[in-house]
Amino acid sequence: MADEQPELAAARAHALSCTRCPELAASRTQVVWGTGAEDADVLVVGAAPGAGEDVLGRPLVGQARELLDRLLFASG
């Protein structure tokens, strides 16, 4: 992600190599990092990634994404 701010890029690099939770580090297939614009007006923070998120490497996929989309649309 070449256009990331230096602090965000450093946080991402740290997360990608983090092994402080040995069981999680051993069981994940990849680190799920956020998506979207760095200067967005809204930040959505989800719970720990599930199996679908781990496989795709994206947060909030499947039913969780569908629900979030409906809630955001309903809120305008």
Side-chain angles (χ1 to χ4, degrees):
M1 303 202 163
D3 59 344
E4 282 184 332
Q5 297 295 323
E7 297 87 1
L8 187 57
R12 183 175 188 269
H14 179 76
L16 292 174
S17 64
C18 185
T19 57
R20 288 187 65 186
C21 302
E23 289 179 25
L24 175 61
S27 66
R28 69 178 181 228
T29 59
Q30 58 189 316
V31 171
V32 177
W33 191 252
T35 59
E38 294 178 26
D39 61 348
D41 292 333
V42 176
L43 171 66
V44 176
V45 178
E53 287 86 0
D54 186 44
V55 168
L56 295 174
R58 292 181 25 235
L60 297 167
V61 299
Q63 290 180 334
R65 172 57 59 102
E66 291 173 18
L67 176 59
L68 175 62
D69 287 345
R70 285 196 310 261
L71 291 170
L72 290 173
F73 181 78
S75 69

